Amino acid sequence: MTPEDKKRNAAEAAVDYVKPDSVIGVGTGSTVNHFIDLLAERMADRITAAVSSSEASSDRLRGHGIKVVDLNEIGNLDLYVDGADESNHQLQLIKGGGGALTREKIVAAASREFVCIADDSKLVTTLGDFPLPLEVIPMARELVAAELRKLGGEPRLREDFVTDNGNQILDVHGLQIRNALDMETRINQLAGVVCVGLFAHRPANVLILGTDDGVRACHPATGVS
Ligand code: 5RP
């Protein structure tokens, strides 16, 4: 089975979490694109609206006739569905490969349940092989980069990329993140960091993995169910 097939299968399983006539949070990326397409196909007129984490996902949702609303109008959400670049067994995540980490973290924070969808290559023992994305205010880029070098990372500017919020992304290579809670807190405290793509204080509640043997749902307490 190809990674794309696995992503689609994980996305399909996540559609079962969507309650009819609800407003849902929608993330960003190729796995979420499958989710949006399947949502439109399976639940057509049964979605009230979506809160989106990126302009790209908003365009795709609207293309299917799904209304996109501002989080401020909604307050809290029951469900957020999004992908990840890496997950450990606590369902702490690295996100931001698509550069939408800040809005993704906001929508995750506003949601009661975060269902993460991915192919099984994303499950790792230790986070950090995937370079950790940081959204930074452009004038602070070098200041933040210097601090990340002190933490043992090798920050690289994502070339020719501007976030939906008008900022830049530093991708930090070479980190082995054994204490994700501490790392997230430390990076959050650096002046000029808008958001770090480490989702440890707000991990996923469920990780749905597409595998060669079908989908499996992982939970943080038990590992796998
Ligand atoms: C975007 C993200 C995505 O969820 C992450 O990059 C995974 O993407 P894909 O589903 O394409 O593998 O965090 O900012």
CSV table of all heavy atoms in Angstrom, one decimal, residues 98-133:
chain,number,residue,atom,x,y,z
A,98,GLY,N,3.8,22.0,6.7
A,98,GLY,CA,3.1,22.8,5.7
A,98,GLY,C,3.1,24.3,6.1
A,98,GLY,O,2.6,25.1,5.4
A,99,GLY,N,3.7,24.6,7.2
A,99,GLY,CA,3.9,26.0,7.6
A,99,GLY,C,2.7,26.6,8.3
A,99,GLY,O,2.6,27.8,8.6
A,100,ALA,N,1.7,25.8,8.7
A,100,ALA,CA,0.4,26.3,9.2
A,100,ALA,C,0.4,26.1,10.8
A,100,ALA,O,-0.7,26.2,11.4
A,100,ALA,CB,-0.8,25.6,8.6
A,101,LEU,N,1.5,25.9,11.4
A,101,LEU,CA,1.6,25.5,12.8
A,101,LEU,C,0.9,26.4,13.8
A,101,LEU,O,0.2,26.0,14.7
A,101,LEU,CB,3.0,25.3,13.2
A,101,LEU,CG,4.0,26.4,13.2
A,101,LEU,CD1,5.2,26.2,14.1
A,101,LEU,CD2,4.6,26.6,11.8
A,102,THR,N,1.0,27.7,13.5
A,102,THR,CA,0.4,28.7,14.5
A,102,THR,C,-1.1,28.5,14.6
A,102,THR,O,-1.7,28.4,15.7
A,102,THR,CB,0.8,30.1,14.2
A,102,THR,OG1,2.2,30.2,14.2
A,102,THR,CG2,0.2,31.1,15.2
A,103,ARG,N,-1.8,28.6,13.4
A,103,ARG,CA,-3.2,28.5,13.4
A,103,ARG,C,-3.6,27.1,13.8
A,103,ARG,O,-4.7,26.9,14.4
A,103,ARG,CB,-3.8,28.8,12.0
A,103,ARG,CG,-3.5,30.3,11.7
A,103,ARG,CD,-4.2,30.7,10.4
A,103,ARG,NE,-3.8,32.0,10.0
A,103,ARG,CZ,-4.3,32.7,9.0
A,103,ARG,NH1,-5.3,32.2,8.3
A,103,ARG,NH2,-3.8,33.9,8.6
A,104,GLU,N,-2.8,26.1,13.5
A,104,GLU,CA,-3.1,24.7,13.9
A,104,GLU,C,-3.1,24.6,15.4
A,104,GLU,O,-4.0,23.9,16.0
A,104,GLU,CB,-2.1,23.7,13.3
A,104,GLU,CG,-2.3,23.6,11.8
A,104,GLU,CD,-1.2,22.8,11.1
A,104,GLU,OE1,-0.1,22.6,11.7
A,104,GLU,OE2,-1.4,22.3,10.0
A,105,LYS,N,-2.1,25.2,16.0
A,105,LYS,CA,-2.1,25.1,17.5
A,105,LYS,C,-3.2,25.9,18.2
A,105,LYS,O,-3.8,25.4,19.2
A,105,LYS,CB,-0.7,25.7,18.0
A,105,LYS,CG,-0.4,25.2,19.4
A,105,LYS,CD,1.0,25.6,19.9
A,105,LYS,CE,2.0,24.6,19.6
A,105,LYS,NZ,3.3,24.8,20.4
A,106,ILE,N,-3.7,27.0,17.5
A,106,ILE,CA,-4.8,27.7,18.1
A,106,ILE,C,-6.1,26.9,18.0
A,106,ILE,O,-6.8,26.7,19.0
A,106,ILE,CB,-5.0,29.0,17.3
A,106,ILE,CG1,-3.8,30.0,17.6
A,106,ILE,CG2,-6.3,29.7,17.7
A,106,ILE,CD1,-3.7,31.2,16.6
A,107,VAL,N,-6.3,26.2,16.8
A,107,VAL,CA,-7.5,25.5,16.7
A,107,VAL,C,-7.5,24.2,17.6
A,107,VAL,O,-8.5,23.8,18.2
A,107,VAL,CB,-7.8,25.1,15.2
A,107,VAL,CG1,-9.1,24.3,15.1
A,107,VAL,CG2,-7.8,26.3,14.3
A,108,ALA,N,-6.3,23.6,17.7
A,108,ALA,CA,-6.2,22.5,18.6
A,108,ALA,C,-6.5,22.9,20.0
A,108,ALA,O,-7.2,22.2,20.8
A,108,ALA,CB,-4.8,21.9,18.5
A,109,ALA,N,-6.0,24.1,20.4
A,109,ALA,CA,-6.3,24.5,21.8
A,109,ALA,C,-7.7,24.8,22.1
A,109,ALA,O,-8.2,24.7,23.2
A,109,ALA,CB,-5.5,25.8,22.1
A,110,ALA,N,-8.5,25.1,21.0
A,110,ALA,CA,-9.9,25.4,21.2
A,110,ALA,C,-10.8,24.2,21.1
A,110,ALA,O,-12.0,24.3,21.2
A,110,ALA,CB,-10.3,26.4,20.1
A,111,SER,N,-10.2,23.0,20.9
A,111,SER,CA,-11.0,21.8,20.6
A,111,SER,C,-10.9,20.8,21.8
A,111,SER,O,-9.9,20.6,22.4
A,111,SER,CB,-10.5,21.2,19.3
A,111,SER,OG,-10.5,22.1,18.3
A,112,ARG,N,-12.1,20.2,22.0
A,112,ARG,CA,-12.1,19.2,23.1
A,112,ARG,C,-11.4,18.0,22.7
A,112,ARG,O,-10.7,17.4,23.5
A,112,ARG,CB,-13.6,18.9,23.4
A,112,ARG,CG,-13.9,18.1,24.6
A,112,ARG,CD,-15.4,17.8,24.8
A,112,ARG,NE,-16.0,17.3,23.6
A,112,ARG,CZ,-15.9,16.0,23.3
A,112,ARG,NH1,-15.2,15.1,24.0
A,112,ARG,NH2,-16.5,15.5,22.2
A,113,GLU,N,-11.6,17.5,21.4
A,113,GLU,CA,-10.9,16.3,21.0
A,113,GLU,C,-10.1,16.6,19.7
A,113,GLU,O,-10.6,17.2,18.8
A,113,GLU,CB,-11.9,15.2,20.7
A,113,GLU,CG,-11.3,13.9,20.3
A,113,GLU,CD,-12.2,12.7,20.3
A,113,GLU,OE1,-13.4,12.9,19.9
A,113,GLU,OE2,-11.8,11.6,20.7
A,114,PHE,N,-8.8,16.2,19.8
A,114,PHE,CA,-7.9,16.3,18.6
A,114,PHE,C,-7.6,14.9,18.0
A,114,PHE,O,-7.0,14.1,18.7
A,114,PHE,CB,-6.6,17.0,19.1
A,114,PHE,CG,-5.5,17.2,18.1
A,114,PHE,CD1,-5.7,16.8,16.7
A,114,PHE,CD2,-4.4,17.8,18.4
A,114,PHE,CE1,-4.7,17.0,15.8
A,114,PHE,CE2,-3.3,18.0,17.5
A,114,PHE,CZ,-3.5,17.6,16.2
A,115,VAL,N,-8.2,14.7,16.9
A,115,VAL,CA,-7.9,13.4,16.2
A,115,VAL,C,-6.8,13.7,15.1
A,115,VAL,O,-7.0,14.5,14.2
A,115,VAL,CB,-9.2,12.9,15.5
A,115,VAL,CG1,-8.9,11.7,14.7
A,115,VAL,CG2,-10.3,12.6,16.5
A,116,CYS,N,-5.7,13.0,15.3
A,116,CYS,CA,-4.6,13.2,14.4
A,116,CYS,C,-4.6,12.0,13.4
A,116,CYS,O,-4.8,10.9,13.7
A,116,CYS,CB,-3.3,13.2,15.1
A,116,CYS,SG,-1.9,13.5,14.1
A,117,ILE,N,-4.4,12.3,12.1
A,117,ILE,CA,-4.5,11.3,11.0
A,117,ILE,C,-3.1,11.3,10.3
A,117,ILE,O,-2.6,12.4,10.0
A,117,ILE,CB,-5.6,11.5,10.1
A,117,ILE,CG1,-5.7,13.0,9.5
A,117,ILE,CG2,-6.9,11.2,10.8
A,117,ILE,CD1,-6.8,13.3,8.5
A,118,ALA,N,-2.6,10.1,10.0
A,118,ALA,CA,-1.3,10.0,9.4
A,118,ALA,C,-1.1,8.6,8.9
A,118,ALA,O,-1.8,7.6,9.2
A,118,ALA,CB,-0.2,10.3,10.5
A,119,ASP,N,-0.1,8.5,8.0
A,119,ASP,CA,0.4,7.1,7.6
A,119,ASP,C,1.4,6.6,8.7
A,119,ASP,O,1.9,7.5,9.5
A,119,ASP,CB,1.0,7.1,6.2
A,119,ASP,CG,2.4,7.8,6.2
A,119,ASP,OD1,3.4,7.2,6.5
A,119,ASP,OD2,2.4,9.0,5.9
A,120,ASP,N,1.6,5.4,8.8
A,120,ASP,CA,2.3,4.8,9.9
A,120,ASP,C,3.8,5.2,10.0
A,120,ASP,O,4.5,4.9,11.0
A,120,ASP,CB,2.1,3.3,10.0
A,120,ASP,CG,2.5,2.5,8.7
A,120,ASP,OD1,3.0,3.2,7.8
A,120,ASP,OD2,2.4,1.3,8.7
A,121,SER,N,4.4,5.8,8.9
A,121,SER,CA,5.8,6.2,9.0
A,121,SER,C,5.9,7.4,10.0
A,121,SER,O,7.1,7.7,10.3
A,121,SER,CB,6.2,6.6,7.6
A,121,SER,OG,5.6,7.9,7.2
A,122,LYS,N,4.8,8.0,10.4
A,122,LYS,CA,4.9,9.2,11.2
A,122,LYS,C,5.1,8.9,12.7
A,122,LYS,O,5.4,9.7,13.5
A,122,LYS,CB,3.7,10.1,11.1
A,122,LYS,CG,3.4,10.5,9.6
A,122,LYS,CD,4.3,11.5,9.1
A,122,LYS,CE,3.9,12.0,7.7
A,122,LYS,NZ,2.9,13.0,7.6
A,123,LEU,N,4.9,7.6,13.1
A,123,LEU,CA,5.0,7.2,14.5
A,123,LEU,C,6.5,6.9,14.8
A,123,LEU,O,7.1,6.0,14.2
A,123,LEU,CB,4.1,6.0,14.8
A,123,LEU,CG,4.1,5.5,16.2
A,123,LEU,CD1,3.5,6.6,17.2
A,123,LEU,CD2,3.2,4.3,16.4
A,124,VAL,N,7.0,7.6,15.8
A,124,VAL,CA,8.5,7.5,16.1
A,124,VAL,C,8.6,7.3,17.6
A,124,VAL,O,7.7,7.6,18.4
A,124,VAL,CB,9.3,8.7,15.6
A,124,VAL,CG1,9.2,8.9,14.1
A,124,VAL,CG2,8.8,10.0,16.4
A,125,THR,N,9.8,6.8,18.0
A,125,THR,CA,10.1,6.7,19.4
A,125,THR,C,10.5,8.0,20.0
A,125,THR,O,10.0,8.4,21.1
A,125,THR,CB,11.2,5.6,19.6
A,125,THR,OG1,10.8,4.4,19.0
A,125,THR,CG2,11.5,5.4,21.1
A,126,THR,N,11.4,8.7,19.3
A,126,THR,CA,11.8,10.0,19.8
A,126,THR,C,11.6,11.1,18.7
A,126,THR,O,12.0,10.9,17.5
A,126,THR,CB,13.3,10.0,20.1
A,126,THR,OG1,13.6,8.9,21.0
A,126,THR,CG2,13.8,11.3,20.7
A,127,LEU,N,11.0,12.2,19.1
A,127,LEU,CA,10.7,13.2,18.1
A,127,LEU,C,12.0,14.0,17.7
A,127,LEU,O,12.9,14.1,18.6
A,127,LEU,CB,9.8,14.3,18.7
A,127,LEU,CG,8.4,13.8,19.1
A,127,LEU,CD1,7.6,14.9,19.9
A,127,LEU,CD2,7.5,13.4,17.9
A,128,GLY,N,12.1,14.4,16.5
A,128,GLY,CA,13.2,15.2,16.1
A,128,GLY,C,13.9,14.9,14.8
A,128,GLY,O,14.7,15.7,14.3
A,129,ASP,N,13.7,13.7,14.3
A,129,ASP,CA,14.3,13.4,13.0
A,129,ASP,C,13.7,14.4,11.9
A,129,ASP,O,14.4,14.8,11.0
A,129,ASP,CB,14.1,12.0,12.5
A,129,ASP,CG,15.0,11.0,13.2
A,129,ASP,OD1,16.0,11.5,13.8
A,129,ASP,OD2,14.8,9.8,13.2
A,130,PHE,N,12.4,14.6,12.1
A,130,PHE,CA,11.8,15.6,11.2
A,130,PHE,C,12.2,17.0,11.8
A,130,PHE,O,12.0,17.3,13.0
A,130,PHE,CB,10.3,15.5,11.2
A,130,PHE,CG,9.6,16.4,10.1
A,130,PHE,CD1,9.3,15.9,8.9
A,130,PHE,CD2,9.3,17.7,10.4
A,130,PHE,CE1,8.8,16.7,7.9
A,130,PHE,CE2,8.7,18.5,9.5
A,130,PHE,CZ,8.5,18.0,8.2
A,131,PRO,N,12.7,17.9,11.0
A,131,PRO,CA,13.2,19.2,11.5
A,131,PRO,C,12.0,20.0,12.1
A,131,PRO,O,10.9,20.0,11.5
A,131,PRO,CB,13.7,19.9,10.2
A,131,PRO,CG,14.0,18.8,9.2
A,131,PRO,CD,13.0,17.7,9.5
A,132,LEU,N,12.2,20.5,13.3
A,132,LEU,CA,11.2,21.2,14.1
A,132,LEU,C,10.9,22.6,13.5
A,132,LEU,O,11.8,23.4,13.5
A,132,LEU,CB,11.6,21.3,15.5
A,132,LEU,CG,10.7,22.0,16.5
A,132,LEU,CD1,9.3,21.2,16.6
A,132,LEU,CD2,11.3,22.1,17.9
A,133,PRO,N,9.7,22.8,13.0
A,133,PRO,CA,9.4,24.2,12.5
A,133,PRO,C,9.1,25.2,13.6
A,133,PRO,O,8.4,24.9,14.5
A,133,PRO,CB,8.2,23.9,11.6
A,133,PRO,CG,8.0,22.5,11.5
A,133,PRO,CD,8.6,21.9,12.7
